[in-house]
């Protein structure tokens, strides 16, 4: 068996607020374990098969940790750095837009809750998807990916690559 990605964590200086943000923006369960220290965001559901039915593979979870004392760590007091990184490139998190949701709703909710819209309305032919991006209030970059489908009709205002 190959090494398996099981989790991705985002840094925050307020995991409680970040957990509430992602619960409202994406509709995920905010599982504080423990409250304010580490929050596991649970999207629920399963990866889909090509026919649209559920597979036996559960959707990945997203963690939110406290930048001031990233757990787990052998030293209970944690170690430096204890601040959020704001300069330069950081990992980007890709979120597939659910069939019952929309980029417009997600972006509007994120912006209302303090996110910054980075760009929107872009079509990436290589992966046949509509993309949009925002930066959450803690500096994490989130890219939305929408299925373009077979023979996509790309809106005139979309940029393309």
């Amino acid at each position: 068996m190959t090494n398996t990605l099981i989790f991705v964590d985002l840094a925050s200086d307020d995991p409680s607020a970040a957990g509430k943000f992602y619960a409202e923006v994406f509709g995920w369960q905010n599982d504080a374990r423990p409250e304010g220290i580490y929050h596991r965001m649970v999207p629920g559901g399963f990866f889909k098969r090509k026919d649209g039915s559920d597979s036996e593979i559960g959707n990945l979870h997203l963690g939110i940790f406290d930048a001031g004392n990233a757990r787990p760590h052998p030293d209970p007091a944690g170690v430096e750095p204890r601040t959020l990184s704001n300069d330069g490139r950081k990992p980007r998190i890709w979120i597939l837009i659910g069939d019952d949701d929309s980029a417009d709703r997600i972006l509007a909710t994120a912006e209302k809750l303090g996110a910054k819209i980075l760009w929107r309305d872009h079509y990436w032919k290589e992966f046949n998807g509509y993309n949009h991006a925002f930066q959450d209030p803690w500096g994490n970059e989130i890219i939305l990916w929408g299925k373009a489908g077979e023979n996509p009709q790309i809106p005139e205002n979309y940029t393309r690559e």
Side-chain angles (χ1 to χ4, degrees):
M1 183 172 145
T2 62
N3 297 313
T4 304
L5 174 68
I6 59 167
F7 228 80
V8 174
D9 283 343
L10 297 178
S12 172
D13 57 4
D14 188 347
S16 294
K20 291 174 186 166
F21 174 89
Y22 282 100
E24 190 167 339
V25 170
F26 292 116
W28 296 339
Q29 177 187 345
N30 179 9
D31 184 19
R33 299 178 70 174
E35 172 69 38
I37 304 298
Y38 191 87
H39 287 241
R40 180 178 70 154
M41 303 310 299
V42 182
F46 295 87
F47 281 100
K48 301 288 184 188
R49 293 186 180 96
K50 287 190 181 211
D51 68 3
S53 65
D54 285 343
S55 74
E56 45 290 325
I57 303 167
N59 283 319
L60 300 175
H61 298 158
L62 178 74
I64 301 171
F65 70 93
D66 184 357
N69 189 355
R71 310 305 314 151
H73 191 276
D75 182 347
V79 296
E80 295 294 334
R82 296 180 186 276
T83 58
L84 296 173
S85 174
N86 292 316
D87 297 329
R89 285 279 177 210
K90 295 186 277 184
R92 302 181 306 170
I93 308 302
W94 289 74
I95 305 295
L96 176 63
I97 300 167
D99 293 339
D100 60 347
D101 208 345
S102 72
D104 288 338
R105 192 219 49 90
I106 292 168
L107 293 168
T109 302
E111 190 171 36
K112 176 185 83 173
L113 297 173
K116 175 184 172 186
I117 305 302
L118 299 174
W119 48 268
R120 61 185 313 149
D121 302 339
H122 181 72
Y123 174 71
W124 194 4
K125 182 178 181 180
E126 183 69 27
F127 293 99
N128 192 28
Y130 300 124
N131 305 132
H132 320 269
F134 67 87
Q135 183 179 59
D136 75 12
W138 302 275
N140 299 297
E141 187 173 346
I142 309 300
I143 300 178
L144 304 177
W145 187 78
K147 300 174 193 173
E150 194 173 321
N151 301 314
Q153 302 300 308
I154 298 106
E156 192 67 33
N157 65 316
Y158 274 52
T159 55
R160 296 165 171 80
E161 69 178 278

